[in-house]
Amino acid sequence: MAYRTEALFRDDAYLRTADATIVAVNDRGGIILDRTIFYATSGGQPGDTGTLERDDGSLIAVAATTTGQTKDEIIHVPQPEQAVLEVGEPIKLAVDWERRHLLMRMHTACHLLTVVCPFPITGASVSEDDSRVDFDIPDAGFTREDVTARLMELVRADHPVFVRLITDEELAANPALVKSKNVRPPAGTGKIRLVCIGENASIDSQPCGGTHVKSTGEVGEIHIGKIEKKGRENRRFRIRFGPMPPA
Ligand SMILES: [Zn+2]
């Protein structure tokens, strides 16, 4: 049977610690809790790492977080050869915040890139120090200097980033909200999570289940590391932190 984990990071991406209870340990040792602050790998954003603290103060290191039989079942994958937890046991969670915050900054930077490059997205992947977004365009027609300058304008403007819930019907009435060419947001769940940038979403809004920073200024300095040609009608943009290194 599939469990349903309350995903606390959906309402507050800034939670670094929380209390929870062990609901199950699966046959591969994966730990399922009643609630969690650990983001599970999805939509190009890797799952969180961190620790689970037992009542006696001992720590279980979480090497990865994934989803199980359904998207609502979140599995904390422990590093090998650690104590086996008991069902019903209370636990204190601590996410590896330094890594998660880098992922939140990078993930938000990917949204900004889709504002600067408003083309259909064919793939995306976020990591702590490098992210990529693939666009379905025959020719970029941009230089990495131009794109970097426009990204940094959005960062410096420090636009708010927030979530708005819409219905399936609202999404169906606004198909342009979906920028991904291959991935459709899940329908039939009633509410779709729209990630908005700017006052009244004036800069952007698109369905997304990931974790983001609360304003574009928090993304910090970024640049386009590379624009690569991936096939005749595909361009891959790589985002990196820090100023653009001299050519
Ligand atoms: Zn997102």
Side-chain angles (χ1 to χ4, degrees):
M1 92 175 219
Y3 295 93
R4 198 182 176 89
T5 313
E6 189 187 349
L8 301 173
F9 55 83
R10 270 198 200 116
D11 291 328
D12 185 356
Y14 286 84
L15 289 172
R16 302 180 191 202
T17 59
D19 295 310
T21 304
I22 309 283
V23 167
V25 178
N26 71 23
D27 49 9
R28 284 165 310 194
I31 301 159
I32 301 162
L33 307 171
D34 59 342
R35 59 213 292 260
T36 192
I37 50 173
F38 284 60
Y39 181 77
T41 303
S42 172
Q45 181 179 335
D48 283 321
T49 57
T51 56
L52 307 180
E53 184 185 340
R54 307 182 82 174
D55 256 356
D56 66 4
S58 63
L59 297 178
I60 305 291
V62 175
T65 308
T66 60
T67 48
Q69 292 181 34
T70 68
K71 283 242 171 199
D72 291 322
E73 183 179 289
I74 297 178
I75 317 257
H76 306 76
V77 182
Q79 282 180 11
E81 293 171 33
Q82 298 194 89
V84 176
L85 299 170
E86 310 267 342
V87 171
E89 194 177 330
I91 212 89
K92 270 194 169 31
L93 296 76
V95 77
D96 178 349
W97 177 250
E98 204 176 312
R99 175 174 179 271
R100 156 70 94 68
H101 191 241
L102 287 170
L103 292 170
M104 284 162 55
R105 289 170 57 200
M106 263 301 184
H107 186 134
T108 309
C110 291
H111 283 248
L112 298 182
L113 180 57
T114 69
V115 173
V116 174
C117 301
F119 305 105
I121 299 161
T122 55
S125 171
V126 177
S127 82
E128 299 103 292
D129 49 14
D130 176 285
S131 294
R132 63 168 177 82
V133 182
D134 296 342
F135 293 98
D136 184 10
I137 38 171
D139 181 20
F142 302 110
T143 65
R144 60 195 199 104
E145 288 78 9
D146 293 340
V147 178
T148 298
R150 294 182 58 198
L151 285 172
M152 285 310 298
E153 270 172 36
L154 292 169
V155 169
R156 288 196 193 97
D158 200 21
H159 296 292
V161 180
F162 58 96
V163 168
R164 198 161 73 80
L165 295 176
I166 60 165
T167 61
D168 292 340
E169 292 73 33
E170 283 175 88
L171 183 67
N174 296 281
L177 288 171
V178 180
K179 298 186 181 185
S180 174
K181 205 177 164 189
N182 310 319
V183 185
R184 297 276 132 195
T189 54
K191 288 286 178 191
I192 288 157
R193 198 169 175 267
L194 211 56
V195 174
C196 305
I197 302 178
E199 296 294 340
N200 302 312
S202 57
I203 305 293
D204 190 44
S205 53
Q206 57 183 297
C208 185
T211 59
H212 311 84
V213 291
K214 61 185 177 308
S215 72
T216 60
E218 203 173 316
V219 170
E221 186 154 28
I222 48 172
H223 67 276
I224 296 296
K226 242 186 211 171
I227 303 175
E228 297 164 87
K229 189 171 172 173
K230 292 275 166 191
R232 199 162 57 86
E233 296 206 343
N234 236 304
R235 293 294 178 278
R236 172 169 293 176
F237 288 63
R238 289 193 177 275
I239 307 172
R240 298 202 175 118
F241 284 125
M244 187 180 297

